[in-house]
Amino acid sequence: MWVLQEAMTISCFNAVLASRLPAFLRTVSLALLLIGIAGCSSSPAGKETQRETSPDKLVDAVLVSRETGATVATPTELYLVPTGQDWKGETPILRGDKFEGAHVRWRGARFLEIRYAKGRIFSFTNFWNSANLQAFKYVVEVRLMPESEATITE
């Protein structure tokens, strides 16, 4: 029933809009709306810079650089995914920029280190699990391992 009511509401709104706005203005409004949606939904293309498989061959750690094409620092993200799966569409466990010497290293089957000399970290989660791998029971611990005392770049 609510679907019918929703359709009637939208139909009424369109009728009011059509009667009050000239065709040119409706066309321009629709074009601007579509441009706005397209601009907000696209994210910079990502390039894998490192993919390392865990010692037990169950998980891939994928380091990704985002190409912004702007005069800002290149964002870097880290994804964990079941081996061989694509990282696109997943949530990164680390996000930052201005990294120098960033790389990942498996210290054990369920223990991953993120090593870097410098960088700014915006978000970080110290564990990962997935519904697609042993129904969330397989847990990877993730640790930040800065290789210098001061890690923030100028």
Side-chain angles (χ1 to χ4, degrees):
M1 183 70 177
W2 68 270
V3 173
L4 183 58
Q5 290 173 336
E6 185 73 21
M8 289 174 55
T9 302
I10 292 171
S11 178
C12 291
F13 176 76
N14 286 339
V16 169
L17 186 64
S19 68
R20 294 192 179 168
L21 287 176
F24 171 74
L25 218 49
R26 286 194 309 265
T27 303
V28 169
S29 298
L30 179 61
L32 289 174
L33 176 65
L34 293 175
I35 289 170
I37 290 171
C40 292
S41 64
S42 64
S43 62
K47 177 184 170 192
E48 281 189 30
T49 57
Q50 183 184 7
R51 181 180 280 255
E52 292 293 323
T53 302
S54 62
D56 61 4
K57 311 273 190 258
L58 294 177
V59 180
D60 283 345
V62 185
L63 207 53
V64 174
S65 291
R66 294 272 181 194
E67 301 302 324
T68 61
T71 57
V72 297
T74 303
T76 299
E77 298 170 337
L78 176 67
Y79 297 86
L80 293 181
V81 294
T83 301
Q85 290 192 8
D86 195 359
W87 52 269
K88 295 175 183 143
E90 298 295 324
T91 302
I93 63 165
L94 175 133
R95 182 175 282 143
D97 70 0
K98 297 189 177 186
F99 278 102
E100 294 177 14
H103 63 281
V104 295
R105 184 171 124 184
W106 289 97
R107 297 293 299 202
R110 298 179 186 213
F111 182 29
L112 179 71
E113 291 181 345
I114 304 167
R115 296 187 165 271
Y116 61 101
K118 296 196 180 287
R120 299 187 308 179
I121 297 172
F122 306 132
S123 63
F124 171 68
T125 303
N126 70 341
F127 75 98
W128 174 87
N129 57 7
S130 171
N132 299 325
L133 187 59
Q134 299 177 8
F136 296 108
K137 292 180 182 168
Y138 185 98
V139 179
V140 175
E141 179 182 352
V142 184
R143 287 194 189 166
L144 297 173
M145 302 297 290
E147 296 175 340
S148 60
E149 289 292 321
T151 60
I152 305 297
T153 59
E154 298 294 321

